[in-house]
Amino acid sequence: MSPRDVVITGMGIVSSLGEGADAHWQALTAKSPSPVLDTERFAPYSIHPLPEIDWGQQIPRRGDQRQMETWQRLGTYAAGLALDDAGMKDDEALCASMDMVVAAGGGERDETVDEAILAASLERDDHDILLNEKLTTELRPTLFLAQLSNLLAGNISIVHKVTGSSRTFMGEEGAGVSAIETAAARIRSGQSSHVLVGASFQTGHSDMLLAYELAGFLHREDWKPVWQRSEAEGGGVITGSGGAFLVLESRAHAENRGRQAYASIGPVVSRRTRRKNEPLADGIAGMLDQLPLPETPVLALSGASGAHAATAAEREALSRHDNVALRGFSSLTGHMKEAQFPFAVALAALAVHHGSPYPAFDDKNETAFDGRPETVLATAIGYHCYEGMGLIKRA
């Protein structure tokens, strides 16, 4: 053990299964866990929608709520849950000295303005003038056609008074991996003593689904676990709204304030390569070789999206290790893009904390795990690029 070990002392997680660590533990360890789906709003596509949320519990000012789009409210809410869980929410000194690392997308587009521009462009030839008119009259100040990525970190700072250094990463699943990797590295190096890190993703918005469908990634048929979605049924991704924020501390910092940890974060590895240049399964296997996987049974909390090539490659790579028991949690939560890896880390930490594995979410493709999970592998293999994984251990 080292004073600079990275430990998880708070988590705020929200998905279609509910909000908070305990709600997710109960839902995912139930005898027959089942997904929550909305099959009508974006038919023929399904999504895992947000539950009913009382935003005022973590964002008390109505004015703050109104100026945020849903993805920002979701992230700010999950961050508040994490700070509460870590016992830091009302400690102004701790929040003021806390650093923050956020993974974010481009934000939700203003669909009304998009539609107005497209409709007007059919009747006018001066498209340059038309665009300038709409941008200067229809959009809120400081915004372009989609909200700025760093607005999430800004809103967390305003609402929760987290005012240390702040970094925002973009790049889908890779952004979530980089956020955790960077936050942990800062603590290990002594640059930070405590960090708020995480992401949010709101899928109940047609532009969020458009990018997936343009490349043929979205699943159209009835729900199936991620490992069972065949190419004959179209794309394999079912998206889900969710947020995951974690409070990370050095072991010394947590012990000095008398705080127990859920788990510790071990090595995190990541890479981005041209997938057409080498078999993806071999690349993932190479990442696994960089981690000190124990010879004892290892539970793997996979963030597999269901995208056929990436999901099959991850399954093949993990199957080369006989001691790895696979769990594809996005079967039940949906794919949450930037939030996928922080969510995987949170669920892995819960298994370590409770000393109990999750049951198989897919009896046909996931094996039983007996005993107490001492080391849990968390993965996020991007649906079209970027790969990351890390080990979560007992604190």
Side-chain angles (χ1 to χ4, degrees):
M1 289 188 181
S2 165
R4 290 186 181 175
D5 286 343
V6 182
V7 297
I8 302 169
T9 56
M11 65 175 71
I13 50 179
V14 181
S15 75
S16 58
L17 300 177
E19 60 178 81
D22 186 62
H24 281 83
W25 178 253
Q26 297 301 326
L28 292 168
T29 56
K31 187 174 182 180
S32 299
S34 58
V36 178
L37 292 167
D38 181 343
T39 59
E40 298 180 359
R41 184 176 175 188
F42 300 103
Y45 315 113
S46 299
I47 64 168
H48 298 261
L50 282 176
E52 289 293 326
I53 296 175
D54 180 1
W55 301 110
Q57 293 295 313
Q58 294 295 338
I59 313 172
R61 292 178 54 189
R62 288 295 185 115
D64 290 334
Q65 293 180 37
R66 283 195 299 270
Q67 67 88 29
M68 300 183 207
E69 294 295 343
T70 305
W71 74 281
Q72 296 173 44
R73 286 198 298 271
L74 177 56
T76 305
Y77 188 89
L81 291 178
L83 292 170
D84 265 340
D85 193 39
M88 292 184 174
K89 182 73 176 296
D90 299 320
D91 192 318
E92 293 185 8
L94 280 175
C95 287
S97 58
M98 172 179 275
D99 297 319
M100 179 164 42
V101 186
V102 172
E108 298 169 11
R109 293 184 66 87
D110 191 323
E111 292 178 305
T112 302
V113 176
D114 282 343
E115 291 170 1
I117 292 173
L118 290 172
S121 69
L122 297 176
E123 301 174 357
R124 292 173 55 173
D125 294 326
D126 56 341
H127 292 169
D128 291 345
I129 296 174
L130 166 65
L131 188 58
N132 282 332
E133 287 177 0
K134 293 296 184 182
L135 292 178
T136 55
T137 61
E138 301 295 333
L139 295 179
R140 285 176 289 176
T142 76
L143 304 187
F144 59 116
L145 287 175
Q147 287 78 51
L148 297 170
S149 303
N150 58 9
L151 284 177
L152 175 52
N155 280 305
I156 292 172
S157 294
I158 291 169
V159 173
H160 301 307
K161 306 299 187 292
V162 177
T163 54
S165 67
S166 174
R167 289 158 185 79
T168 295
F169 289 94
M170 293 183 69
E172 301 177 344
E173 296 98 326
V177 175
S178 293
I180 297 288
E181 193 173 21
T182 300
R186 287 186 61 86
I187 290 173
R188 290 193 182 102
S189 69
Q191 291 176 290
S192 298
S193 58
H194 54 305
V195 181
L196 179 66
V197 56
S200 62
F201 177 65
Q202 151 69 346
T203 194
H205 215 258
S206 57
D207 64 291
M208 293 302 176
L209 298 174
L210 180 61
Y212 286 95
E213 181 53 14
L214 288 175
F217 281 114
L218 289 181
H219 184 73
R220 289 171 175 260
E221 302 297 323
D222 293 339
W223 174 89
K224 291 180 179 178
V226 292
W227 314 114
Q228 295 185 34
R229 297 172 194 167
S230 70
E231 292 191 48
E233 297 167 338
V237 176
I238 300 177
T239 58
S241 294
F245 272 80
L246 304 171
V247 173
L248 307 185
E249 300 183 61
S250 68
R251 184 183 298 279
H253 191 271
E255 289 178 350
N256 286 341
R257 67 186 194 95
R259 200 73 188 181
Q260 288 190 326
Y262 284 101
S264 65
I265 296 182
V268 178
V269 294
S270 62
R271 62 167 224 158
R272 181 177 181 178
T273 58
R274 295 183 183 275
R275 293 183 174 181
K276 294 182 180 180
N277 292 353
E278 68 168 309
L280 179 56
D282 291 344
I284 296 171
M287 294 174 68
L288 285 168
D289 291 340
Q290 297 177 47
L291 297 175
L293 283 180
E295 296 182 0
T296 54
V298 176
L299 188 68
L301 267 293
S302 166
S305 64
H308 300 306
T311 300
E314 179 177 359
R315 186 176 169 192
E316 179 188 338
L318 291 175
S319 69
R320 299 177 188 179
H321 295 261
D322 294 336
N323 62 328
V324 172
L326 194 56
R327 298 291 183 269
F329 69 86
S330 55
S331 292
L332 299 176
T333 65
H335 179 58
M336 294 179 285
K337 221 168 185 177
E338 291 84 10
Q340 200 74 346
F341 190 63
F343 212 96
V345 171
L347 295 186
L350 283 177
V352 171
H353 173 67
H354 287 282
S356 178
Y358 296 99
F361 306 140
D362 177 356
D363 291 334
K364 293 182 180 179
N365 295 287
E366 297 179 351
T367 57
F369 184 98
D370 296 322
R372 182 187 182 98
E374 300 284 342
T375 298
V376 179
L377 175 69
T379 78
I381 308 302
Y383 68 98
H384 73 97
C385 68
Y386 209 97
E387 303 88 55
M389 59 182 62
L391 294 181
I392 310 304
K393 305 178 179 181
R394 289 188 66 186

